[in-house]
Amino acid sequence: MTTPPLLALQEADTAIDRLRGRRSALEQGSEVLAARAEADVAESRLGELRLRLDELGRDQRRFEHEIESMTEKETAEQARMYDGSIVNAKELEALQHEIASVRSRRSDREDELLALLEIRERLEAEASEAERASSSVRAAVEEVAEAAREELSRVEVELADRIREREAIAPTIEPDVLELYDDLRRQKKGVGAAALVDGVCQACHEQLSAVQLDKLKRSDGVRRCEHCRRILVV
């Protein structure tokens, strides 16, 4: 069944509007920008984790150095206590207290180091996952950009075809009808004509009254929807 010229024109114009909208979106690169924004968030998260790991690394080295120093001090004090150089009981007692104090501080520092290592292990796992996520998202950006370029090429070809189709249909429509149709398209969100199916306007989807349907059947002029005033093709 051949599509009436006015409906064929409306179909072409609807496709042209859609394709122009899609072309504009692709040219603005909104989808690529969104993908890049997501990638930036992933890289920012990875950067934060790496900075935190660097801080923990510095703290770990400091703790290890302090533990090593305290171990050396304890060893030296232990040697003094048993080398016979200390004969004074009070001095010996003070040395024993010092050794106990060093041992206690070292134990505390070792506990802190253990807790730090547990945190670092967890952050290293998070950083590894964040690095994989960042690489994946960056690869997706390239895929989205390539897909957008390919789609833009297809849209341009289809748009040109639809414009040629419109240029072929428009001359077959009476000038006054075409002018009304174009005016209505500007007023009615791109839809100037619609089919009438079972008494229902396919543009506004309203049922026409029996009186109006009867008038349309007997009318030889341009038929209009009583609700949206678009041109009706019976």
Side-chain angles (χ1 to χ4, degrees):
M1 182 176 179
T2 304
T3 303
L6 196 58
L7 290 184
L9 184 66
Q10 178 65 74
E11 181 183 336
D13 282 335
T14 299
I16 288 170
D17 290 344
R18 174 182 58 80
L19 291 166
R20 282 175 173 163
R22 185 58 183 156
R23 180 180 65 181
S24 177
L26 290 167
E27 288 175 341
Q28 291 172 10
S30 55
E31 293 176 3
V32 177
L33 289 175
R36 283 176 179 160
E38 185 179 354
D40 289 342
V41 170
E43 288 192 353
S44 176
R45 172 60 178 160
L46 177 59
E48 290 172 1
L49 288 168
R50 284 174 172 167
L51 285 174
R52 181 66 179 130
L53 284 170
D54 287 343
E55 292 175 2
L56 290 175
R58 289 192 292 272
D59 289 341
Q60 179 182 343
R61 289 189 292 274
R62 177 167 56 83
F63 287 173
E64 289 172 343
H65 176 71
E66 291 177 4
I67 290 170
E68 183 180 357
S69 296
M70 285 185 280
T71 299
E72 291 175 353
K73 182 174 182 179
E74 181 187 356
T75 300
E77 298 291 24
Q78 288 276 12
R80 281 184 59 210
M81 190 168 64
Y82 295 111
D83 66 4
S85 61
I86 299 176
V87 295
N88 185 290
K90 287 185 177 181
E91 188 178 353
L92 182 60
E93 183 180 358
L95 183 58
Q96 289 172 334
H97 282 308
E98 177 63 20
I99 291 172
S101 175
V102 170
R103 189 174 294 161
S104 177
R105 295 199 307 273
R106 185 184 65 188
S107 178
D108 290 342
R109 193 54 98 215
E110 287 172 342
D111 289 342
E112 291 178 51
L113 177 59
L114 180 60
L116 182 149
L117 291 174
E118 290 175 352
I119 294 172
R120 181 170 184 174
E121 183 179 5
R122 175 175 56 80
L123 289 181
E124 283 176 341
E126 290 184 21
S128 295
E129 179 59 32
E131 187 169 6
R132 285 192 293 270
S134 179
S135 297
S136 176
V137 173
R138 276 297 168 197
V141 170
E142 296 305 317
E143 291 177 4
V144 170
E146 179 61 27
R149 287 190 291 269
E150 292 177 357
E151 185 181 356
L152 182 57
S153 296
R154 292 195 300 270
V155 165
E156 292 283 11
V157 171
E158 187 177 352
L159 179 58
D161 289 343
R162 286 294 193 168
I163 290 174
R164 284 193 294 270
E165 180 183 344
R166 186 191 201 281
E167 291 172 347
I169 297 170
T172 68
I173 299 171
E174 295 181 11
D176 56 336
V177 176
L178 182 61
E179 183 178 358
L180 174 61
Y181 163 80
D182 286 335
D183 286 342
L184 287 169
R185 263 181 41 82
R186 285 190 288 270
Q187 300 169 29
K188 304 288 185 177
K189 299 181 179 179
V191 180
L196 180 67
V197 179
D198 296 329
V200 177
C201 170
Q202 298 303 296
C204 65
H205 303 290
E206 293 286 345
Q207 177 76 48
L208 273 65
S209 66
V211 173
Q212 181 67 17
L213 287 172
D214 184 60
K215 287 182 179 178
L216 290 178
K217 289 178 182 178
R218 292 185 285 105
S219 174
D220 292 328
V222 177
R223 298 174 173 89
R224 307 279 293 276
C225 174
E226 64 180 314
H227 301 288
C228 67
R229 302 305 297 159
R230 292 180 173 92
I231 300 172
L232 288 175
V233 180
V234 179

